[in-house]
């Protein structure tokens, strides 16, 4: 067993050390944190103002000798502040995954070491598994740092503490983010490993990123009539729920196409899951975590299926180092 695992760990360790030396991952993670903190700070300051208003009102009643219980305790949802953070993870996290995957293959092809590695007593699956393990570790480390900093920023800026369930919610979204970024890592790794020319691999990977991360989710949102009016068309027109369902049935084909465009995107699945778990979407704010996870299992399964499909594609095809060494 040791003989099977040791080459995997050796390759993974080397890849991690190389990534730390070139500081690429550190710079990209820092950029993700900076962009996210700017968006987070604005919302957190507003929440802090709401908390201060409540505290002052309660103190004023007590000073007048009145019962402060007449003011109901407000429901502060600090995790709602992470909307901008999640959106940055969707875009920048996918880019980081692609570039880490690209680098994992390009580093060997650029130095012409791929053929040499495969001639050693090491199986193809061990080489690939070592690369994937390293990529997973690098992505995980970056996401843990990002989510810890984001959680700490929510507490420090807004002044609202996170309870144990909030921590579990953050950890759940972080795990989903890891799976999401891993899928794009595999995309970058597969394209860079098998493309005849490395620049073409990066171009292909970012074409896929553009289509599934930016274009498909936006098309789905834009085609949703309920997104065209603040608060939703039905709410503004004060249409009852039974009438809403009747109207939607008339546009079932249109809605099927619109939703199909959305669900084709792993970004949308990650967003739906994250917005529900963190209570960013008002429908789920204040709801228990387990029922939300049960409802959103399909989104998690989609993310897992995409990552597994790319992983199977990676391991199923035989590695040809002679062809790949010719740049």
């Amino acid at each position: 067993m040791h003989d099977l695992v040791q080459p995997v760990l050796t390759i993974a360790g080397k890849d991690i050390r190389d990534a730390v030396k070139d500081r690429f991952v550190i710079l990209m993670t820092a950029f993700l944190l900076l962009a996210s903190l700017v968006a987070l700070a604005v919302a957190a300051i507003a929440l802090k103002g709401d908390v201060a208003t409540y505290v002052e009102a309660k103190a004023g009643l007590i000073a007048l000798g009145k019962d402060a219980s007449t003011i109901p305790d407000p429901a502060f949802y600090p995790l709602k502040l992470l909307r901008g953070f999640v959106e940055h993870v969707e875009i920048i996290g996918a880019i980081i995954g692609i570039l880490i995957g690209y680098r994992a293959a390009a580093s060997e092809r650029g130095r012409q070491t791929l053929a040499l590695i495969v001639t050693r007593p090491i199986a193809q699956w061990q080489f690939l598994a070592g690369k994937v393990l390293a990529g997973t570790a690098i992505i995980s480390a970056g996401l843990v740092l990002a989510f810890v900093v984001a959680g700490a920023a929510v507490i420090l800026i807004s002044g609202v503490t996170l309870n144990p369930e909030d921590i579990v919610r953050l950890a759940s979204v972080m795990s989903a983010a890891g799976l999401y970024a891993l899928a794009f890592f595999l995309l970058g790794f597969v394209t860079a490993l098998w493309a005849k020319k490395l620049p073409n691999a990066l171009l292909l990977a970012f074409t896929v990123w553009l289509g599934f991360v930016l274009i498909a989710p936006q098309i789905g949102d834009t085609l949703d009539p309920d997104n065209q009016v603040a608060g939703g068309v039905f709410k503004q027109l004060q249409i009852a729920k039974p009438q809403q369902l009747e109207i939607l049935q008339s546009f079932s084909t249109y809605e099927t196409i619109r939703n199909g465009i959305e669900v084709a995107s792993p970004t949308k699945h990650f967003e739906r899951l994250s917005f529900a778990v963190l209570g960013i979407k008002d429908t789920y704010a204040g709801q228990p975590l387990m029922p939300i996870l049960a409802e959103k299992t399909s989104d998690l399964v989609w993310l897992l299926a995409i990552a597994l499909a790319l992983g199977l594609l990676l391991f199923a095809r035989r590695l040809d180092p002679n062809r790949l060494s010719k740049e």
Side-chain angles (χ1 to χ4, degrees), residues 272-287:
R272 289 176 175 179
L273 175 64
S274 301
F275 279 19
V277 170
L278 297 177
I280 294 171
K281 190 172 182 180
D282 292 336
T283 308
Y284 299 97
Q287 299 298 316

Side-chain angles (χ1 to χ4, degrees), residues 11 77 82 98 127 167 173 204 237 273 297 299:
I11 292 172
Y77 301 113
L82 295 175
I98 288 174
F127 169 74
I167 303 299
V173 174
L204 175 60
L237 296 178
L273 175 64
T297 298
D299 292 308

Side-chain angles (χ1 to χ4, degrees), residues 176-225:
L179 194 58
Y180 172 75
L182 177 61
F184 283 96
F185 164 84
L186 291 170
L187 172 65
F189 188 41
V190 167
T191 53
L193 197 61
W194 296 115
K196 190 171 183 180
K197 299 291 184 180
L198 275 175
N200 293 342
L202 199 58
L203 180 62
L204 175 60
F206 273 105
T207 299
V208 174
W209 171 84
L210 181 66
F212 287 98
V213 175
L214 295 183
I215 297 177
Q218 288 303 315
I219 290 177
D221 287 341
T222 302
L223 292 178
D224 187 354

Side-chain angles (χ1 to χ4, degrees), residues 53-78:
T53 300
Y54 166 73
V55 172
E56 288 175 5
K58 190 173 183 178
L61 282 178
I62 295 174
L64 294 173
K66 295 184 178 181
D67 185 8
S69 62
T70 56
I71 300 180
D73 292 335
F76 296 116
Y77 301 113

Side-chain angles (χ1 to χ4, degrees), residues 160-307:
V160 179
T161 57
L162 302 180
N163 58 43
E165 184 173 314
D166 290 334
I167 303 299
V168 175
R169 289 174 186 269
L170 268 178
S172 301
V173 174
M174 183 180 68
S175 300
L179 194 58
Y180 172 75
L182 177 61
F184 283 96
F185 164 84
L186 291 170
L187 172 65
F189 188 41
V190 167
T191 53
L193 197 61
W194 296 115
K196 190 171 183 180
K197 299 291 184 180
L198 275 175
N200 293 342
L202 199 58
L203 180 62
L204 175 60
F206 273 105
T207 299
V208 174
W209 171 84
L210 181 66
F212 287 98
V213 175
L214 295 183
I215 297 177
Q218 288 303 315
I219 290 177
D221 287 341
T222 302
L223 292 178
D224 187 354
D226 212 34
N227 287 337
Q228 306 310 312
V229 178
V233 173
F234 293 135
K235 184 176 180 181
Q236 292 298 320
L237 296 178
Q238 299 180 346
I239 298 176
K241 190 68 176 178
Q243 283 70 43
Q244 292 181 24
L245 296 175
E246 186 177 341
I247 293 172
L248 288 175
Q249 286 177 357
S250 303
F251 296 92
S252 58
T253 302
Y254 174 86
E255 181 62 19
T256 299
I257 296 173
R258 186 199 67 79
N259 189 65
I261 294 174
E262 279 194 349
V263 299
S265 168
T267 302
K268 203 62 184 180
H269 289 291
F270 173 64
E271 181 181 286
R272 289 176 175 179
L273 175 64
S274 301
F275 279 19
V277 170
L278 297 177
I280 294 171
K281 190 172 182 180
D282 292 336
T283 308
Y284 299 97
Q287 299 298 316
L289 177 60
M290 295 311 297
I292 293 176
L293 290 177
E295 181 182 336
K296 294 299 177 181
T297 298
S298 60
D299 292 308
L300 185 60
V301 170
W302 266 98
L303 292 175
L304 181 61
I306 293 170

Side-chain angles (χ1 to χ4, degrees), residues 21 68 78 116 132 156 158 178 199 243 296 303 320 327:
K21 284 179 182 178
L116 179 61
V132 173
L156 293 174
S158 70
Q243 283 70 43
K296 294 299 177 181
L303 292 175
D320 184 359
E327 294 295 332

